Amino acid sequence: MKTVTAAIVLKNRQVLLTRRASDQKLAGFWEFPGGKVEEGESLQECLQRELREELGVSSVVGEEIVTSKYHYQHGAINLVAMSADLLNEDLTLSVHDKAIWVPLADLMNYQLAPADIPIAAHLQEKFGEV
């Protein structure tokens, strides 16, 4: 099972979502940005690297919020959602074709990647948006 990180970037009761580009696995699905942990990397280091590679931004990564395990056809993942603050919001997308700020109450209106759905539900519950 691969460990994958996901950034929970909150601002004004909104959270950052990114949409997978057409040439990516899970194309068209929305997700919390992040990616696979590489050997020897901490969860925090992974998420900082992924945000730099995928969005072109520096970040400060905080604590683990919740995890979600999911078995895709291409393999099982353990998705670890962590709080993150972006040091700037001038995003440069590489594996996504869109990035948006979504009100927590509206998260379930997006076609989220399956592993991200329990995380979105947890965020809504935690912040009283259900």
Side-chain angles (χ1 to χ4, degrees):
M1 182 174 290
K2 287 186 180 138
T3 299
V4 179
T5 58
I8 306 303
V9 184
L10 291 168
K11 179 180 82 171
N12 302 324
R13 301 194 66 72
Q14 295 184 322
V15 65
L16 181 65
L17 282 185
T18 51
R19 187 173 65 191
R20 303 287 292 182
S22 61
D23 60 345
Q24 298 291 315
K25 282 183 187 168
L26 300 174
F29 280 90
W30 291 91
E31 66 181 2
F32 301 105
K36 293 182 221 61
V37 177
E38 294 180 355
E39 193 170 330
E41 205 173 38
S42 72
L43 294 173
Q44 285 83 3
E45 289 167 338
C46 169
L47 194 52
Q48 286 177 320
R49 175 184 53 76
E50 288 287 347
L51 291 172
R52 193 170 47 252
E53 289 174 3
E54 293 186 356
L55 304 179
V57 293
S58 296
S59 60
V60 176
V61 175
E63 64 188 32
E64 186 177 312
I65 297 172
V66 66
T67 62
S68 167
K69 290 178 175 41
Y70 192 82
H71 294 269
Y72 287 103
Q73 282 185 312
H74 55 270
I77 67 165
N78 178 37
L79 186 59
V80 182
M82 305 174 72
S83 64
D85 292 315
L86 305 182
L87 299 183
N88 67 63
E89 292 178 19
D90 185 18
L91 306 181
T92 303
L93 304 180
S94 63
V95 298
H96 300 96
D97 61 9
K98 196 165 188 184
I100 56 172
W101 292 94
V102 175
L104 287 166
D106 295 343
L107 271 176
M108 295 303 185
N109 296 336
Y110 290 81
Q111 183 184 13
L112 296 170
D116 291 74
I117 293 171
I119 294 170
H122 175 82
L123 291 175
Q124 287 183 326
E125 189 176 300
K126 180 177 179 179
F127 294 101
E129 293 289 334
V130 174

